[in-house]
Amino acid sequence: MAWVRIEDAINEHRKHLKAGPAACWLWVCAIAYCQRQLSDGFIPAEAVPILGVPRGFAPLVERLLDVGLFDRADGGYLVHDYHDYNESRASTLERRAAQHAAKVRAGTVGA
């Protein structure tokens, strides 16, 4: 199971207040997608419709871009400052490998 980190005062942050609740839900779903896919904050454009807002997502994406929560990238978008709060793909894979190795040494794999 993947976890994401979101600041507990996010609902009071000026960018989120400007973006509004629907855009913020899309932002949260985008972060969850990035962590699950280990994409380092990248969301392919074709993935946006499956991120929790199936209709009317285009203006929400524009709002996220306008307030600085998303950045444009080739083929999609980047969650702004994603790595300030979430691990990189490389760090996640390294941590998982270390956890697996520790379980193997302890003889608890699959237990």
Side-chain angles (χ1 to χ4, degrees):
M1 178 182 306
W3 297 89
V4 296
R5 291 186 179 151
I6 298 174
E7 181 183 356
D8 64 352
I10 204 69
N11 62 315
E12 300 168 359
H13 191 281
R14 63 178 179 76
K15 288 182 180 181
H16 292 271
L17 293 171
K18 286 181 183 180
C24 289
W25 176 244
L26 180 60
W27 178 82
V28 168
C29 291
I31 292 173
Y33 171 89
C34 293
Q35 188 62 16
R36 196 171 45 257
Q37 300 298 320
L38 298 179
S39 72
D40 284 328
F42 177 72
I43 306 115
E46 60 271 13
V48 175
I50 65 162
L51 295 182
V53 183
R55 285 180 253 181
F57 60 83
L60 300 177
V61 169
E62 288 303 316
R63 201 170 307 151
L64 292 170
L65 288 163
D66 289 345
V67 300
L69 291 169
F70 274 8
D71 297 318
R72 291 190 193 280
D74 279 346
Y77 309 95
L78 286 169
V79 175
H80 187 77
D81 290 341
Y82 178 81
H83 287 124
D84 287 358
Y85 301 95
N86 295 282
E87 286 184 315
S88 68
R89 175 185 179 88
S91 294
T92 299
L93 293 175
E94 184 178 309
R95 178 180 47 77
R96 288 179 184 174
Q99 288 171 336
H100 178 72
K103 287 179 182 179
V104 168
R105 283 191 304 277
T108 60
V109 173

